[in-house]
Amino acid sequence: MANVIVVGSQWGDEGKGKVVDLYAREADVIVRFQGGNNAGHTLVVNGKKTILHLVPSGILHPGKTCIMGNGLVINPRVLLEEIDTLNAEEAISADTDLFISERAHVIMPYHMRYDLAREKLKGNKKIGTTGRGIGPAYEDKMARTGIRMCDLMNETMLKERIASNLDEKNFYLTQYCGEKPLDAQEIFDEYCGYIERLRPHITDTSVIVSEKIGEGKSVLFEGAQGAHLDIDYGTYPFVTASNTIAGAATTGAALGPTSINAVIGICKAYTTRVGQGPFVTELTDDMGNRIRDIGQEYGATTGRPRRCGWLDTVVVRQAIRLSGITGLAVTKLDVLTGIDPLRMCVGYRTDTGVSPDYVPADLDMLERCEPVYEEFDGWTEDISRAAKREDLPPQAERYLQRLEELTGVPLCLVSVGPGRDETIVFHNPFK
Ligand code: IMP
């Protein structure tokens, strides 16, 4: 038995869905611990694509316990739609195997309105959020005005909370943002409509996690977004509103750090980001377009084209340090087939000529960083059928070896195509 955290080591969209789906075979329990439906985890099973925004990616394996921890912010409408789709299209019992923390916060209609209205007001200074109300929901959590899943089941309290929150929210929406006000009764009626279906799922999930660990079961913690979107350590303010590094699993799923055995960092073979913010290795030329087309780099949640660039090992090294990553899972290596030469960023050149091993917090300084690249010969062979490391062309092997050298962390798998089977496994963190 082992308890393993999977986190993104870049700006999200590293392919965590596929890796979590693979590791879910080994785990008894799969837990999401932060974020909300800003995430979009894509899984391809037997050629069929499924995109999950809230439900843990382990749900596609029957009989697993799936948990949405207290660290999430949950839009009940989106969750119920996702459950319905899974039940209908995947013939999966999402209704019986899914537990939701009573302490998770609820995304309300005013959170989404705030998110969109604020982005509109900011104009070209916007963050480029997903518009799903994630930031405003976490703001209310910290302001201690949030509504939690358990509050949904207390209609009197729910009514009061919605009314008192709307007093403030409508003032801001109408007076500051120039938007129309929202109606408290409409929101109350809508949210009351979700309660009966959600009630059987809502519980103290920390008890389930702790009991399962006590029984010697294996737990997989599924991170969303990536280290550089972390509210503390990402490229602030161009970040999401939660902690995305591995430590968030302990607070967002409520277990002690001593229970964790391994942390796997997902690292795409190149770099992408959606939304605004600095991106040192960004390619704004034909090469960037080529990677976007081949890698199908369009947001799973918003459909926005992702910004693409060379692999940045400064970014990955920082993620390794922040999350205590013990193994790297490299994804989408196949997308680089046919590109010659390839480049990998090994350091940043700054004003002082120093090449730091960390990403500066000061965004002006980060904007001035120039990437220091190493060049690699590319390969042209189709690598999607490679079953073991030795099957890879020597150029691909060299690229991977250099990544291992520069990060000091062993690779645990390499993904060479979207399907479950298109994966070369070097080491299983559950064994
Ligand atoms: P928010 O999480 O919707 O507030 O968006 C804040 C920033 O995080 C924006 O740049 C989003 O594009 C980015 N972001 C949020 N979730 C994801 C994700 O799952 N993948 C990649 N970027 C994300």
Side-chain angles (χ1 to χ4, degrees), residues 11-14 16 32 35-41 53 115 119 126-136 138 224-226 228-230 235 237-242 244 272-277 299-302 304 306-307:
W11 278 282
D13 307 318
E14 296 94 351
K16 288 180 292 294
R32 259 202 67 183
N37 62 312
N38 48 351
H41 292 170
H53 299 286
D115 200 357
E119 286 280 275
K126 68 179 182 189
I127 289 165
T129 72
T130 57
R132 304 297 194 259
I134 306 297
Y138 278 116
Q225 290 87 44
H228 296 271
L229 288 172
D230 183 272
T235 43
F238 301 102
V239 293
T240 191
S242 62
T244 57
T272 61
R273 101 169 273 179
V274 267
Q276 317 306 119
T301 299
T302 57
R304 289 179 290 178
R306 296 178 184 142
R307 300 156 63 194

